[in-house]
Amino acid sequence: MMLHRQASSDLRPCKNGKYRALIPILCGAFALFILTTVPFSFPLESSTAAAAAAVFRSQIFASGNLSILSVIPCDLAVGDWIPNPNPNAALPYTNDTCWAIHEHLNCLKYGRPVDGFLRWRWRPDGCELPAFNPAQFLELMRHKAFAFVGDNIARNHVQSLICLLSKLEYPIDVSPSRDEHFKKWKYMSYNFTMSFLWTTHLVRSEESTTGGTYNLYLDEFDESWTSQMGGLDYLVISSGQWFLHPMFFHENRRVVGCHDCFLNNVTELGIYHGYRKAFRTAFKAILRSESYKGITYMRSFSPAHFENGLWNQGGNCLRTEPFRSKDSALEGMNLELYMTQMEEFRRAEREGRKKGLKFRLLDTTQAMWLRPDGHPSKYGHWPEENVSLYNDCVHWCLPGPIDIWSDFLLHMLKMEGIRSAQERVQYDHETELNQR
């Protein structure tokens, strides 16, 4: 089962009898109410962008459920996929309307039927999650810099977000080089830059010359991304599937153990040791940075769904509907990896609070565990093609369930003001208690 987290609040009266926690919360709620009812007016540089914006201007900060009641805690991570009440609604994008979809994620192109896997929406327990609104997101990102740090799945998310935003504006590629592992785009009308920074294991790592085995330097930063944090306003960090490979673990410049190396003279420490230490070191890089003061989101583990064999042993994902939460719980390795992430995230969150740095949890694991039908499977290539991952049950179709990650992200961005106010109240109260 997933962890249920309850937002903490202090509603005890102050000396003057007022409920101090409610003041900033209600102020934040009032500000959000104004945003939901008063339309924005903003300049756009191109006629195309202006025409597109006209369609969305009336929707900016006006999609449902963003009202004063939004201060009530709602755990987006726990819920169920339900049939879309409007099954004939147009898709937010398709492979014909978005150029950002990589071939192996282009399930519609390779014959996957639209009906079924695209006709579900995520409903958290006890609340409603508004659909992604590109105008809201881009307005919030005006004059901001956002980066996604991670592996193939992080890039999967970036492509999904670009496609969702393409309904309003396409970005310009302003990447510093032709390296596809390090990309940067700019939304000119909003002066918003979005980057993708590649890392397989979050820490410095090297693939062995024989291939398939990795050397992980668990106490060393991966400077390919840590050196590019300066000036970012937001960062989403994630990692997962690459830790399933055989690995040698290095600390203090010596081998301390391994995962699946099967050598008598090397201690088998297991996958979770490397996973824990990698996240701890990555968070340490963020906490120690002098140039990065933004908000850090940790996106939780994205599970694979191979059945009847491993990825290279005929395994596949042929289900056509989501699991129900009451019928399928996260367990085994997936649960252990998730819990390891949570423990290291909470550690970083505590340290960040001391330094005035914000860490936020983008908890998508249960939602994605319940979607075994959302992977490309055999629809990532033509049937006659010779490919290394024949049945892909790791990555996610575009469009597909992964689009919900941007729904989560946008909702959290909109709630940031209220959450920050709550945290300030809690911090002030704790400080007052410590001074007594």
Side-chain angles (χ1 to χ4, degrees), residues 10 30 38 52 72 123 129 155 162 167 188 206 257 269 274 276 280 309 314 344 350 426:
D10 178 24
F30 179 73
V38 179
I72 299 174
R123 185 174 66 186
L129 176 64
R155 181 164 53 197
I162 290 175
K167 203 169 185 180
M188 301 300 293
E206 299 171 349
L269 294 177
R276 179 181 302 281
R280 187 173 299 180
E344 291 307 311
R350 289 192 299 271
Q426 182 178 355

Side-chain angles (χ1 to χ4, degrees), residues 93-393:
Y93 64 91
T94 70
N95 58 314
D96 293 324
T97 64
C98 182
W99 51 260
I101 303 174
H102 276 200
E103 282 297 284
H104 64 283
L105 309 175
N106 200 339
C107 302
L108 299 182
K109 173 181 176 179
Y110 294 111
R112 179 152 193 177
V114 175
D115 292 339
F117 84 108
L118 294 177
R119 301 306 184 188
W120 300 85
R121 70 179 182 91
W122 178 250
R123 185 174 66 186
D125 290 347
C127 62
E128 293 291 331
L129 176 64
F132 184 80
N133 186 316
Q136 289 183 12
F137 184 88
L138 286 171
E139 192 60 43
L140 285 168
M141 291 298 106
R142 188 180 289 278
H143 308 303
K144 303 294 185 182
F146 204 123
F148 292 80
V149 173
D151 55 21
N152 318 61
I153 306 298
R155 181 164 53 197
N156 204 168
H157 186 189
V158 171
Q159 293 167 14
S160 166
L161 180 55
I162 290 175
C163 288
L164 288 168
L165 295 175
S166 68
K167 203 169 185 180
L168 187 59
E169 183 173 329
Y170 277 111
I172 294 175
D173 191 332
V174 293
S175 303
S177 71
R178 293 185 178 182
D179 188 347
E180 290 297 316
H181 289 128
F182 298 91
K183 300 290 292 182
K184 186 175 183 179
W185 301 271
K186 185 168 185 177
Y187 289 82
M188 301 300 293
S189 301
Y190 297 87
N191 190 30
F192 162 51
T193 58
M194 183 166 66
S195 303
F196 169 63
L197 306 176
W198 171 266
T199 179
T200 54
H201 297 89
L202 299 179
V203 295
R204 186 167 80 87
S205 64
E206 299 171 349
E207 187 173 6
S208 67
T209 54
T210 56
T213 301
Y214 289 83
N215 290 297
L216 269 62
Y217 301 88
L218 296 176
D219 54 354
E220 298 184 32
F221 300 160
D222 181 354
E223 294 187 0
S224 64
W225 69 267
T226 60
S227 63
Q228 300 188 55
M229 290 191 296
L232 291 174
D233 298 289
Y234 302 95
L235 185 153
V236 177
I237 186 172
S238 60
S239 192
Q241 297 294 336
W242 284 79
F243 284 84
L244 303 183
H245 291 276
M247 299 173 289
F248 287 96
F249 302 135
H250 299 251
E251 294 185 64
N252 297 317
R253 301 191 176 185
R254 65 183 183 88
V255 175
V256 296
C258 71
H259 163 61
D260 278 358
C261 65
F262 305 108
L263 296 176
N264 294 329
N265 60 340
V266 181
T267 304
E268 172 65 37
L269 294 177
I271 183 177
Y272 311 119
H273 176 86
Y275 202 54
R276 179 181 302 281
K277 288 294 186 73
F279 268 99
R280 187 173 299 180
T281 297
F283 288 139
K284 185 182 296 183
I286 294 170
L287 289 164
R288 290 185 178 180
S289 175
E290 295 294 330
S291 59
Y292 171 70
K293 303 302 177 186
I295 299 177
T296 301
Y297 293 85
M298 186 197 76
R299 198 258 303 151
S300 61
F301 180 71
S302 175
H305 289 92
F306 289 102
E307 296 187 67
N308 302 315
L310 301 177
W311 69 271
N312 58 350
Q313 297 176 357
N316 205 347
C317 39
L318 298 175
R319 296 181 184 267
T320 57
E321 291 188 354
F323 293 137
R324 294 294 304 275
S325 60
K326 65 179 182 180
D327 299 327
S328 183
L330 200 68
E331 59 187 5
M333 181 191 72
N334 288 324
L335 178 59
E336 192 67 29
L337 289 171
Y338 174 82
M339 294 302 296
T340 300
Q341 271 188 315
M342 293 303 105
E343 291 165 7
E344 291 307 311
F345 170 78
R346 296 304 179 197
R347 174 195 290 266
E349 187 180 38
R350 289 192 299 271
E351 291 300 313
R353 195 174 295 122
K354 298 174 185 176
K355 298 185 176 184
L357 295 176
K358 297 177 182 178
F359 287 79
R360 304 294 187 233
L361 176 61
L362 184 58
D363 193 345
T364 60
T365 298
Q366 183 180 19
M368 304 316 286
W369 169 247
L370 299 177
R371 291 307 304 267
D373 59 322
H375 301 286
S377 180
K378 64 180 181 179
Y379 296 108
H381 53 84
W382 299 117
E384 66 275 7
E385 283 187 83
N386 183 19
V387 293
S388 58
L389 188 60
Y390 190 80
N391 297 319
D392 186 350
C393 302

Side-chain angles (χ1 to χ4, degrees), residues 43-62:
L44 295 170
E45 296 179 5
S46 69
S47 58
T48 303
V55 178
F56 287 93
R57 188 172 286 116
S58 62
Q59 301 176 23
I60 295 178
F61 294 98

